[in-house]
Structure formats: C-alpha cells, structure tokens
Amino acid sequence: MRTLRGASAIVGVADDVSPTGELDRHGRELEAAMIKAALDDAGLEVADVDGVCHAESSMALAEYLGIHPRFTDSTMTGGSSYEVHVEHAAAAIAAGLCDVVVGVYASTPRGDRARGRPSSRRMPPGPNPMAEWEWPYGLRMPMGPYALAATLHMHRFGTTSEQLAQIAVSTRQWAAMNPRARYRTPLSVADVLASPLQCEPLHLLDCCLVTDGAGAFVMTSADRAGDLRRPPVYVLGAGTCHDHMMISQMPDLTLTPGAVSGAQAFAMAGIKPGDVDVLMSYDSFTITALLHLEDLGFCAKGDGGPFVEDGKLGPGGSLPTNTNGGGLSYTHPGMYGMFLIVEAVRQLRGECGPRQVDQAEVAVAHGSGMVLSCMSTIVLGTAGTLS
C-alpha cells in the first residue's frame, strides 16, 4: 500500500487573531500578510513557492502573489478545507509534482460588518439545496443541524446538557492561558447552562464565536524540511470522507464521516488513539467536538458524555484538546480548520508557553466541514515519530 507517511512536512505556520475579535486588515492584504509570515517562519520566500491552496480561488491568489504554481487546489469543503489541502499537498509533494506549497485562509465577518462591507464568509459555489429544501421549514442556521444531532444523541445515549457544557468549560480553561483568545474568563457548567438557548438543546456558550481571523501554512518535502528555520512537523497520515451535504440527508445524525477519515489517517500513520498527545478537534459546537471523540475512537459510540465529564480534555487532562481555546473561546471566523493545523504544529514544536503540552510528539488536526458533512483528519508528528 502506498503511503504519505513522512514524505512531507509542515515547515511554517502563522495566524492573526485579536482578543477584540476584529482585525484591521482584510481580503488579499490579510492573506498576503499571512503567507509572508508563514514563509518567514519557515525561512523561505515567495519565489520558492510552486504550489498554492485556497478554498475560493487558488488561481486568483497566485496571480496576486505573482507566482506560476505547478500545483493548485481550490477544494472547498467548508471548515475541513484546510485539512483537505494538507492531504492533497502531501500527495502532490510525494508524487514530485511540486516542492513548496502554501495554504491560506482569511475571513473578517466582524470587521466587514463594522466597515459596512459584505461578509467575507461564503458558501461553496453553485446551487444551495439547503436553501430550497430545508431553510423554508424553519431550520435555523448554522446551529439547527447541530441541535438535531445533539437531540438524537441525548435521546439515544442519555447524553446530558451538563456533559456538553463541560466541553466548553475545558476549552475555556485552555483559552485562559492564551493571551490572544477572544474569551478568557473562567466558565462553569452552570454558566453554560444559564446562557440563552439558541436552538434547543444548544445554549449560547455551546456555540462557536464569530470573529475575524486568518492563518497560513507552508509545506515541503521531508528531504528539504530538515534544512529550514523551524523543526519540521511531518505529515504521518491523512484521510477525508463526506457522506452528505444537507443535514436531512445525513445517514445517521450521531455518526459522522470522521469514523472513516480518522481510521484511514490513523492506519496510515501507524498509530492508535492512545498514541495522540494533542487533539485539535473542530469545535463549531460542543456536540461537534463530542462526536469527533467517538468517531475517532477515543471512546465508544455513545460514551462521549461520560468521557468528557471529568475534564480530561482540559489542562492536566489525559487528552489535551483544542489547546488554543478552540472555536468556542479562541477564534472562529467562519471556517476554523486552518487554526487546528497552526496550533497542532506549534504544540509539536514546543512553542505554546503556559499551555504547552509536555513531550508532545503526535498531534491530530480533525476538520469538520459544512453541517457535519465532510471530515478530514491529519496526523502530525515530530522527527522522533519517524523512527
């Protein structure tokens, strides 16, 4: 079986967020700044880049940067797009199609509103079947589909609102150690349950933020990675799967395609859930994070509630999860997958200060796109994991 394990590495990352939730820059200016910062992090220049990933138009971005890439990817799967981009870039690098790939994301919904500009948050191009078949019947977006999943999970497995709230509490504990996080004030389970219901059973503090934010990554071959500025973070495994677009077409509201993408990525990497030191798991809502834990194999299906209620996802817990504060407390500009990658890389490079996980060698970035529709799982490791 052919594998991507260890053939490429992420060698540069950057992100830009603010505790206020707003950024001064936007659009191509912000994207270009992120790419430059990630290239500087790696010790590379724009002239070195021959591969471009962008969820809207890699062609327009390449033109703006003045480069002529040999590899281009505009895959758009919502919040998991950036894990998909890493997977595709790893395959392209392993095949010799390109040498240095950049991926970038920037969205400024809060700043756009303040400037009186149209929001930079976008749906995939083409017809939107949800607008025809679901929204007219009162499905509130974006929380409605997740509320359906949470309701069925509670009915089928006995999951409680208190257990979901603990995910938000643990995530906020990480955010309290991140000076760039949007919210750092400690939370209690009671605080989450006292916040206004948005779409039963999800409360306001079960839901992700709406902030500005941007980020970028740089990848290259394993052979070149060792000669650059930062310790390489190797791509050990990758997998992607989607099984629906509209939530009404999801085969089982309690089982995401992450059960497929995670199994593929873990098998390629040669790891088990118990080998993961840091989990960066897309947390658009608390139920999203809980479903990921089950589908990636950290606990059995239906056991997510009891699994999280002792705080094992937070600082000092056995499964450090969303160590930057996640989409619930750090930032969430609309598609969060880029920030999973950036934090996973920084944890493996030992750069996270007070929130650093001791001896982190293996990290997982697990992206969730659209309405629990497309899952993409990336397993990353330090040089020590290659032996």
Side-chain angles (χ1 to χ4, degrees):
M1 177 180 175
R2 298 187 67 180
T3 179
L4 303 178
R5 189 181 194 278
S8 65
I10 299 176
V11 293
V13 292
D15 66 351
D16 190 9
V17 302
S18 167
T20 69
E22 294 188 17
L23 298 175
D24 294 331
R25 297 178 293 190
H26 59 92
R28 288 279 185 254
E29 178 190 5
L30 181 55
E31 290 176 341
M34 289 298 93
I35 291 170
K36 183 180 187 305
L39 288 168
D40 287 347
D41 190 52
L44 293 168
E45 299 180 356
V46 171
D48 296 307
V49 176
D50 59 357
V52 173
C53 299
H54 190 281
E56 185 177 340
S57 176
S58 53
M59 292 179 65
L61 177 64
E63 181 180 67
Y64 185 84
L65 297 174
I67 60 176
H68 306 153
R70 299 186 294 138
F71 168 73
T72 188
D73 189 352
S74 293
T75 300
M76 169 54 158
T77 61
S80 59
S81 299
Y82 310 97
E83 285 69 36
V84 175
H85 292 167
V86 168
E87 179 182 22
H88 291 180
I93 291 168
L97 299 179
C98 56
D99 188 41
V100 175
V101 178
V102 297
V104 67
Y105 170 64
S107 181
T108 52
R110 290 177 67 92
D112 291 346
R113 183 172 58 193
R115 287 185 289 267
R117 296 169 54 90
S119 175
S120 57
R121 300 174 69 182
R122 293 178 172 87
M123 293 288 292
N128 181 358
M130 292 179 284
E132 181 176 3
W133 297 107
E134 293 182 345
W135 297 354
Y137 299 96
L139 183 69
R140 184 180 177 191
M141 293 296 289
M143 58 284 293
Y146 300 88
L148 290 172
T151 298
L152 183 58
H153 204 280
M154 289 174 165
H155 171 74
R156 185 175 289 174
F157 303 116
T159 308
T160 67
S161 291
E162 288 80 3
Q163 290 167 338
L164 291 178
Q166 180 58 52
I167 295 173
V169 170
S170 295
T171 307
R172 183 64 65 87
Q173 289 171 337
W174 287 113
M177 294 186 283
N178 185 353
R180 298 197 302 153
R182 176 72 177 97
Y183 291 119
R184 303 178 64 197
T185 304
L187 275 184
S188 68
V189 168
D191 291 332
V192 179
L193 300 183
S195 64
L197 273 174
Q198 298 300 297
C199 194
E200 192 175 6
L202 299 178
H203 296 78
L204 179 63
L205 293 175
D206 285 303
C207 305
C208 64
L209 309 174
V210 178
T211 64
D212 298 348
F217 65 78
V218 180
M219 294 177 61
T220 191
S221 65
D223 290 341
R224 186 171 185 179
D227 297 328
L228 299 178
R229 180 170 292 162
R230 301 288 190 186
V233 170
Y234 296 91
V235 178
L236 303 181
T240 297
C241 182
H242 54 85
D243 62 12
H244 65 283
M245 180 65 174
M246 297 189 294
I247 195 67
S248 60
Q249 302 307 302
M250 187 173 180
D252 181 342
L253 287 169
T254 69
L255 180 65
T256 77
V260 176
S261 67
Q264 176 179 317
F266 282 30
M268 184 184 295
I271 68 162
K272 304 180 296 298
D275 298 320
V276 176
D277 299 310
V278 178
L279 174 62
M280 293 303 299
S281 164
Y282 203 113
D283 57 342
S284 49
F285 299 87
T286 52
I287 184 62
T288 316
L290 184 141
L291 291 173
H292 295 335
L293 293 169
E294 297 176 347
D295 295 340
L296 292 175
F298 291 101
C299 60
K301 177 54 64 179
D303 287 349
F307 183 79
V308 303
E309 63 186 358
D310 66 353
K312 64 170 53 68
L313 306 187
S318 59
L319 183 60
T321 299
N322 295 333
T323 54
N324 56 2
L328 294 171
S329 288
Y330 175 53
T331 193
H332 196 291
M335 298 194 297
Y336 184 68
M338 178 64 75
F339 304 95
L340 304 172
I341 296 165
V342 171
E343 178 73 1
V345 168
R346 287 175 174 162
Q347 282 285 350
L348 296 184
R349 298 195 315 200
E351 298 173 350
C352 292
R355 67 182 191 278
Q356 178 64 45
V357 175
D358 290 341
Q359 298 180 324
E361 297 285 333
V362 175
V364 169
H366 183 64
S368 176
M370 304 312 295
V371 287
L372 300 172
S373 308
C374 180
M375 303 296 167
S376 187
T377 313
I378 304 297
V379 181
L380 302 173
T382 63
T385 63
L386 298 181
S387 57

